[in-house]
Amino acid sequence: MSVPKTGTTAIESALRDRADMVISNPPELKHAPLYRYNRFFRPMFEKVCDARMETVAVMREPISWLGSWYRYRRRPLMDGHPNSTRDVSFDDFVAAYMEKQPPGFARVGSQAKFLEPRPNGTAVKHLFRYEAFDRFLDFLENRLQTEVRPARENVSPSMELNLSGRTERRLRRRCAAEFQLYDSIR
């Protein structure tokens, strides 16, 4: 599962030559959440290929994940675009993210929703923390019996981000499922 802002573009590039199928575009397919995988990809693999796929994903610590989105949408290429965060503070970005109907610049989805198990039992079998990416790479290398050395790609610009205590407390309450899922990863 290619959760946005978790290093999956680099993994895709590193493994592209070994893959029978690569879905790079459109983003709605590249970053297909579990519900879309369950509805379209899983049945295709089962019916056409007689194969049951093993699902794996990486999840990023929720505040870090939002920070990556914020920085990504702040890059110069986004200047003048409605989704640019150029003139928005990180605190305001997170507050906007929590709105019932977030403005475009803060509409980035939810990792917990992306990875949410389906009623038919389809779930992510192997979930790794982005902050322990080496464990994910070890898993891939063991499964694929090959070295996996991704280059850094699609990296958000570095910058210090400040989130007020009030906004962080609100985020932790409003998006408790994000933090609970992340905390459950061993």
Side-chain angles (χ1 to χ4, degrees):
M1 310 305 303
S2 185
V3 180
K5 307 310 294 163
T6 62
T8 53
T9 298
I11 294 296
E12 176 189 308
S13 294
L15 296 175
R16 175 178 293 280
D17 294 340
R18 292 185 44 94
D20 292 328
M21 180 187 296
V22 176
I23 302 170
S24 300
N25 276 304
E28 295 79 14
L29 291 181
K30 175 185 177 175
H31 296 294
L34 191 63
Y35 75 84
R36 196 170 293 141
Y37 163 81
N38 183 55
R39 184 167 180 200
F40 300 108
F41 292 104
R42 184 192 52 74
M44 176 185 68
F45 285 117
E46 288 178 5
K47 290 175 184 162
V48 176
C49 307
D50 193 30
R52 294 215 179 265
M53 303 303 284
E54 195 169 5
T55 53
V56 61
V58 174
M59 182 181 185
R60 194 169 185 156
E61 189 281 327
I63 296 171
S64 171
W65 183 73
L66 288 171
S68 183
W69 271 113
Y70 172 79
R71 293 187 326 269
Y72 182 72
R73 290 187 167 180
R74 194 175 175 94
R75 68 195 195 284
L77 181 67
M78 295 293 291
D79 285 353
H81 190 282
N83 287 347
S84 173
T85 55
R86 166 80 45 218
D87 298 319
V88 179
S89 72
F90 181 54
D91 206 79
D92 289 342
F93 171 80
V94 173
Y97 172 75
M98 291 185 282
E99 291 178 15
K100 191 171 246 171
Q101 294 292 322
F105 69 84
R107 202 172 302 129
V108 297
S110 156
Q111 293 180 99
K113 196 75 174 157
F114 188 103
L115 299 167
E116 185 175 55
R118 307 314 306 149
N120 68 353
T122 300
V124 173
K125 183 170 179 150
H126 306 281
L127 186 56
F128 296 89
R129 287 181 176 208
Y130 173 85
E131 291 75 13
F133 209 75
D134 56 327
R135 293 184 69 201
F136 174 54
L137 292 176
D138 289 344
F139 170 83
L140 289 176
E141 289 179 352
N142 287 329
R143 284 300 165 100
L144 302 174
Q145 295 297 297
T146 190
E147 185 176 71
V148 180
R149 293 293 166 242
R152 288 179 52 93
E153 291 188 41
N154 205 21
V155 178
S156 301
S158 292
M159 68 179 59
E160 188 173 325
L161 300 177
N162 297 306
L163 192 59
S164 71
R166 180 177 188 262
T167 301
E168 181 175 342
R169 286 187 299 278
R170 220 175 118 228
L171 177 67
R172 288 182 180 278
R173 277 192 313 275
R174 178 103 156 87
C175 301
E178 304 286 324
F179 292 94
Q180 288 168 352
L181 179 58
Y182 181 78
D183 290 342
S184 75
I185 303 170
R186 298 291 163 227

